[in-house]
Amino acid sequence: MSDVRAVDHIDPIELDNFNQDLFAFLDASPTPYHVVKNQIALLESYGFEGLCEADAWQLEKGKRYYVTRNGSSLIAFVYGHDELLNSGVRMLGAHTDSPCLKVKPNAEIVAQSYLKLGVEVYGGVLLNPWFDRDLSLAGKIVYRDDKQVMKSLLINFDKPIATIPSLAIHLDREANKNRSINAQTDIPPVLMVLAQSDSSTANKKSSKDLLDNILMEQIKRQYDDLKIAQILDFELSFFDYQKAAYVGLNDDFIASSRLDNLLSCFAGTYALMRADTQGSSLLVCSDHEEVGSASTSGAQGTFLKSVLERLAGSAESLTRMVDQSMMISADNAHAIHPNFSDKHDANHGPLINQGPVIKVNANQRYASNCETGAVFKVLAESADVPTQSFVVRTDMGCGSTIGPIAATEIGVKTLDVGVPTFAMHSIRELCGNKDTWYLYSVLQHFFDFSKRIEIQ
């Protein structure tokens, strides 16, 4: 149910330009490593300077910076002119990872003269929609060059190279009633038909040889004269090659992979690029949210706290600065499904294109409280953006976000919000064409230090 009536004041050209940029970002970001790479390109185009965690930082008031960890998490910030102890930091949190299928270290499987790759399920994947899709492969490779120096690179096949064929209904007459999916045996993607000689050889060789050769060929296509002596290791993920697009008779919807949560990463990046330099604003996009955030580059790690400590300068200053700060955790919300409306609380079923959702949970699965929720409503009102509320049915379990982790680890006042979405964790998700702009508009106002957000 909307808390504020939806308004149709958006310039259609401005909206389409924003969404087309979002489409390009989604299509170019199949893995967290690519997400961060593309965020850096956007940030540098607006004058953000790269920092290294290993270096001593010499920050200047009014300048813009970014720093990465593991190449899959990013923190970017505007180091404002206002004193941090007075204005605090306005923070936005999102995550760079999405549920997917990750290639195992010894992945090759040769069966009936077909080459398949064994995969692990990463996060809470909705597996059924992965069948019969055009899949591509991307990720990070660590290698030794011709001078025996260890380096890394990103790879993206950028074309359909695999599929997971369904079993025909003729061979499983009960498929529409009770077919289950075995993640070990049913979902290894099929890459190619092997010649009989290749198939026999593959059974005798190390299980990495064929895949290493495939990866070497792709590296040559992407990097021309790069000299590689040996591939040492990799993190590779399959992804849906179908591009992001408008869907619906009136283009009401946006369909894409990884809307959860690259939509928030993109909107946050765009908002931060346009943030003023009066106060300090920060965007943190963490990896591994879909598997609990417990990693060096996840929200439960030290990345955000260490950056804030360096901004504050001392433990006491950090405590005082955080007390003046606020974080918005932006992660997608469940829109009420017209075919399954009974899965929602009748008074808390968010509608698509009716604005961002304030997510509330009494058991602290979301970090929102009445104060942070009120601040967001005021910001949305000033941006002419409608807002909605989501509470899970009391008889159902509730997911979570990085919001409660940030609130716990940092002690910062936090709010959980998100864009209403259908088919969350599917290979192809659906959101509203206006909600993308609504979220971005509120985040812009959040980073505008002329807007007061204090509660007296």
Side-chain angles (χ1 to χ4, degrees), residues 388-408:
Q388 309 181 77
S389 295
F390 173 77
V391 181
V392 73
R393 280 180 58 116
T394 308
D395 56 358
M396 294 177 66
C398 183
S400 192
T401 70
I402 66 169
I405 297 173
T408 301

Side-chain angles (χ1 to χ4, degrees), residues 404-429:
I405 297 173
T408 301
E409 298 291 331
I410 308 299
V412 63
K413 297 181 288 290
T414 304
L415 169 77
D416 271 297
V417 302
V419 166
T421 306
F422 288 150
M424 195 181 297
H425 288 198
S426 174
I427 195 170
R428 196 160 177 84
E429 299 164 324

Side-chain angles (χ1 to χ4, degrees), residues 9-123:
H9 65 279
I10 308 172
D11 182 291
I13 296 176
E14 196 170 21
L15 174 64
D16 184 60
N17 288 339
F18 178 83
N19 284 334
Q20 293 296 337
D21 286 347
L22 170 63
F23 293 171
F25 181 79
L26 291 165
D27 293 342
S29 305
T31 75
Y33 300 109
H34 292 84
V35 174
V36 169
K37 175 186 175 183
N38 293 322
Q39 285 181 301
I40 289 173
L42 290 171
L43 292 166
E44 288 184 342
S45 71
Y46 267 70
F48 283 75
E49 301 175 18
L51 299 170
C52 177
E53 283 195 277
D55 296 339
W57 292 359
Q58 301 295 325
L59 304 178
E60 297 181 34
K61 294 282 189 180
K63 287 202 169 183
R64 304 162 185 265
Y65 302 94
Y66 70 85
V67 59
T68 67
R69 183 178 281 192
N70 188 48
S72 61
S73 294
L74 173 141
I75 292 176
F77 58 93
V78 175
Y79 191 50
H81 292 283
D82 289 349
E83 287 299 320
L84 289 170
L85 298 186
N86 297 327
S87 65
V89 182
R90 296 189 184 180
M91 292 180 268
L92 173 69
H95 63 88
T96 59
D97 61 322
S98 301
C100 64
L101 303 181
K102 289 200 170 187
V103 178
K104 293 180 178 180
N106 300 316
E108 285 189 17
I109 303 170
V110 176
Q112 307 303 319
S113 296
Y114 299 104
L115 175 62
K116 305 186 295 181
L117 292 184
V119 291
E120 279 190 287
V121 176
Y122 177 85

Side-chain angles (χ1 to χ4, degrees), residues 69-70 73 287-289 291-303:
R69 183 178 281 192
N70 188 48
S73 294
D287 197 0
H288 300 139
E289 188 273 347
V291 291
S293 296
S295 71
T296 58
S297 51
Q300 203 172 326
T302 61
F303 192 23

Side-chain angles (χ1 to χ4, degrees), residues 200-268:
S200 300
T201 303
N203 287 321
K204 297 175 183 177
K205 294 169 71 177
S206 163
S207 64
K208 285 189 68 175
D209 287 347
L210 267 179
L211 180 55
D212 280 358
N213 291 338
I214 292 169
L215 296 177
M216 283 286 199
E217 288 300 317
Q218 179 59 28
I219 292 169
K220 288 179 184 177
R221 284 191 287 271
Q222 279 188 237
Y223 293 95
D224 294 329
D225 299 327
L226 188 65
K227 305 296 184 185
I228 295 182
Q230 181 187 9
I231 292 176
L232 297 171
D233 211 342
F234 56 73
E235 290 182 34
L236 299 173
S237 303
F238 282 101
F239 67 95
D240 184 15
Y241 189 70
Q242 187 174 359
K243 305 302 183 184
Y246 289 121
V247 170
L249 191 60
N250 298 314
D251 291 343
D252 288 329
F253 308 106
I254 289 172
S256 177
S257 298
R258 303 177 299 281
L259 287 174
D260 175 19
N261 188 28
L262 301 198
L263 191 163
S264 300
C265 291
F266 178 80

Side-chain angles (χ1 to χ4, degrees), residues 306-345:
S306 68
V307 169
L308 293 177
E309 286 174 342
R310 297 174 85 155
L311 293 179
S314 70
E316 180 179 343
S317 294
L318 175 63
T319 300
R320 295 172 63 189
M321 181 184 78
V322 167
D323 184 66
Q324 299 298 315
S325 301
M326 178 175 165
M327 170 175 275
I328 294 176
S329 166
D331 201 348
N332 299 40
H334 296 293
I336 186 168
H337 195 303
N339 296 341
F340 301 94
S341 58
D342 61 336
K343 296 295 185 181
H344 287 259
D345 183 307

Side-chain angles (χ1 to χ4, degrees), residues 187-201:
I187 62 171
V190 179
L191 275 73
M192 63 188 295
V193 179
L194 294 170
Q196 193 62 42
S197 58
D198 292 335
S199 180
S200 300
T201 303

